[in-house]
Amino acid sequence: MGVAVRVIPCLDVDAGRVVKGVNFADLRDAGDPVEMAAVYDAEGADELTFLDVTASSGERATMLDVVRRTAEQVFIPLTVGGGVRTPEDIDTLLRAGADKVSINTAAIARPELLGECARRFGSQCIVLSVDARRVQDGPPTASGFEVTTHGGRRGTGIDAVEWAARGQELGVGEILLNSMDADGTRAGFDIEMIEQVRKVVDVPVIASGGAGKVDDFLPAVRAGADAVLAASVFHFGTLRISEVKNGLRAGAVEVR
């Protein structure tokens, strides 16, 4: 592999505060995303992802402030997602200091949005976030995986693997592939899903959902992930970023 694999912590931010709990001993305020971002930067994270889980658009200003303050202090790439619906939303986030913006639900409703944004801002700024799960009920998809909305609770019937390929065709620079089945289980990444998406796209694939231990990351990379993302295992101190990188190095994977 020519390009070093990236290790990315993801922070869920609600009204400007980190949710899903954290317990870094050395943080004055475990709920402040900017402070946590600085710790992850110091620990060797290659990038950071902020997911804005605030339901109301009224809290947007708070999130923009978080992005601005983070960009001033932290110099690794920052991806921001959650509730991004229009090119204007993306413009605002990029101006605030985000390096990339991830789009999820709005693209399902109107796929052309991905192409418009890739042309306007450059493919490297646009990430298609795919929340996918194995088809449970309803007609099967060709891959056996479907795109979901509402945090994995609602199936769309859209084939997740075909959707990732469509995203690349429309010009996105990266696919953030979230396994909703594996999310929170700490039972490992969904290897089959990663392999299927890898076969149909050339752009980088970020594997998300299911990380529980150091040994979980290498199989995801071998399945074709260019980056591995995790949340709770990092926040709770179960794993350090350096441990994950050392585990990947031990498997002969190049990391930064």
Side-chain angles (χ1 to χ4, degrees), residues 72-137:
E72 281 165 11
Q73 291 188 27
V74 174
F75 300 102
I76 53 178
L78 176 62
T79 300
V80 183
V84 175
R85 292 183 180 87
T86 64
E88 289 65 44
D89 291 340
I90 293 173
D91 188 52
T92 305
L93 284 164
L94 293 173
R95 285 176 190 277
D99 297 280
K100 307 179 208 175
V101 177
S102 79
I103 309 176
N104 188 332
T105 310
I108 296 168
R110 197 171 73 82
E112 303 77 40
L113 176 67
L114 295 172
E116 290 164 13
C117 294
R119 285 191 295 277
R120 178 165 164 189
F121 304 108
S123 290
Q124 76 285 349
C125 294
I126 308 301
V127 179
L128 174 59
S129 180
V130 181
D131 289 347
R133 70 175 183 203
R134 284 178 160 72
V135 178
Q136 295 158 344
D137 39 33

Side-chain angles (χ1 to χ4, degrees), residues 46-65:
D46 297 303
E47 296 188 9
L48 288 165
T49 294
F50 280 164
L51 194 58
D52 185 1
V53 296
T54 307
S56 77
S57 53
E59 298 285 1
R60 275 290 158 213
T62 311
M63 190 64 190
L64 287 172
D65 180 56

Side-chain angles (χ1 to χ4, degrees), residues 4-254:
V5 169
R6 292 166 285 149
V7 179
I8 307 174
C10 177
L11 300 171
D12 286 354
V13 180
D14 186 1
R17 308 288 293 170
V18 174
V19 291
K20 272 196 186 163
V22 290
N23 64 357
F24 283 151
D26 47 353
L27 279 189
R28 293 186 306 279
D29 173 5
D32 179 33
V34 183
E35 197 172 333
M36 283 191 65
V39 170
Y40 279 134
D41 187 11
E43 287 201 340
D46 297 303
E47 296 188 9
L48 288 165
T49 294
F50 280 164
L51 194 58
D52 185 1
V53 296
T54 307
S56 77
S57 53
E59 298 285 1
R60 275 290 158 213
T62 311
M63 190 64 190
L64 287 172
D65 180 56
V66 166
V67 171
R68 248 181 233 112
R69 289 191 296 129
T70 303
E72 281 165 11
Q73 291 188 27
V74 174
F75 300 102
I76 53 178
L78 176 62
T79 300
V80 183
V84 175
R85 292 183 180 87
T86 64
E88 289 65 44
D89 291 340
I90 293 173
D91 188 52
T92 305
L93 284 164
L94 293 173
R95 285 176 190 277
D99 297 280
K100 307 179 208 175
V101 177
S102 79
I103 309 176
N104 188 332
T105 310
I108 296 168
R110 197 171 73 82
E112 303 77 40
L113 176 67
L114 295 172
E116 290 164 13
C117 294
R119 285 191 295 277
R120 178 165 164 189
F121 304 108
S123 290
Q124 76 285 349
C125 294
I126 308 301
V127 179
L128 174 59
S129 180
V130 181
D131 289 347
R133 70 175 183 203
R134 284 178 160 72
V135 178
Q136 295 158 344
D137 39 33
T141 60
S143 68
F145 295 100
E146 70 172 329
V147 176
T148 66
T149 58
H150 300 80
R153 291 189 299 278
R154 195 173 296 178
T156 61
I158 297 168
D159 187 303
V161 177
E162 288 174 9
W163 178 231
R166 179 88 198 278
Q168 173 174 293
E169 277 168 29
L170 288 163
V172 304
E174 214 163 44
I175 307 287
L176 173 53
L177 186 62
N178 306 304
S179 167
M180 306 314 289
D181 296 321
D183 189 47
T185 64
R186 300 200 181 186
F189 292 91
D190 191 324
I191 300 305
E192 188 194 343
M193 185 193 290
I194 298 166
E195 286 173 343
Q196 287 209 39
V197 170
R198 175 79 286 158
K199 282 183 188 136
V200 299
V201 301
D202 304 315
V203 295
V205 173
I206 305 164
S208 165
K213 56 188 185 300
V214 168
D215 292 346
D216 290 336
F217 292 88
L218 186 58
V221 173
R222 288 193 168 143
D226 302 272
V228 282
L229 178 144
S232 56
V233 287
F234 291 143
H235 306 336
F236 288 115
T238 313
L239 297 177
R240 304 297 284 257
I241 286 159
S242 57
E243 291 176 300
V244 172
K245 290 193 168 186
N246 288 338
L248 291 171
R249 279 191 196 102
V253 169
E254 187 187 339

